[in-house]
Amino acid sequence: MNEQAKLIYTTRMPVRWGDMDAYGHVNNTVYFRYFEQTRVEWLEQMGCRVSPEEPIGPVIINAACTFFAPVNYPATVVIKMYAGEPGRSSVMTWYELFIEGEDRVYCEGSAKTVWMDTRSGKSAPIPDVVRALFD
């Protein structure tokens, strides 16, 4: 993880039975959904509505995850979200996923978020409320 990353949000989510795969642990694609939900909660708690009707909205242009240990049902995951210094229209975010009550990191992820003009499809400046986190 980037040394200059700032912890900006933490959330908890229950692992659902349907999150597991045939091997009995959370499917690798579900971790990206956990990160997505964390990002959406963070944006919404800042007052940024995530909706296709909004003139400007965040999109992900790159995402990655490194898995260290499997997560199994039942559990509650804790996701910590970090962000780097924003550019004109983008910000890099990183994620750490734990199981509630444990110190072990089960996976680390990242995603680059770009704000986009939903009508033109072109990049747009990051909202001031997001940029203010780093001032």
Side-chain angles (χ1 to χ4, degrees):
M1 181 162 328
N2 187 310
E3 293 175 2
Q4 297 174 344
K6 177 180 179 178
L7 178 62
I8 57 171
Y9 190 73
T10 301
T11 192
R12 289 162 176 68
M13 291 175 225
V15 173
R16 301 164 302 181
W17 176 259
D19 291 347
M20 294 188 304
D21 60 19
Y23 297 110
H25 52 72
V26 172
N27 184 277
N28 59 351
T29 62
V30 175
Y31 292 85
F32 290 97
R33 300 303 301 265
Y34 295 155
F35 299 158
E36 173 187 60
Q37 184 63 36
T38 302
R39 205 168 34 252
V40 169
E41 287 178 17
W42 167 66
L43 288 164
E44 288 180 343
Q45 64 95 24
M46 287 192 309
C48 294
R49 187 167 169 249
V50 180
S51 169
E53 288 96 35
E54 292 296 311
I56 295 173
V59 295
I60 300 303
I61 64 165
N62 179 305
C65 188
T66 302
F67 307 97
F68 302 123
V71 172
N72 301 296
Y73 176 89
T76 298
V77 293
V78 176
I79 301 100
K80 294 184 178 185
M81 180 180 170
Y82 302 82
E85 187 74 28
R88 184 193 77 80
S89 62
S90 68
V91 65
M92 193 67 198
T93 57
W94 294 273
Y95 307 85
E96 292 178 321
L97 185 139
F98 303 83
I99 289 180
E100 192 168 58
E102 296 185 23
D103 293 332
R104 176 186 196 177
V105 177
Y106 280 74
C107 73
E108 292 179 342
S110 63
K112 187 168 189 178
T113 304
V114 174
W115 271 262
M116 172 187 82
D117 180 311
T118 57
R119 291 178 186 90
S120 71
K122 298 194 183 296
S123 67
I126 291 176
D128 290 340
V129 68
V130 175
R131 188 168 304 286
L133 289 171
F134 301 93
D135 292 340

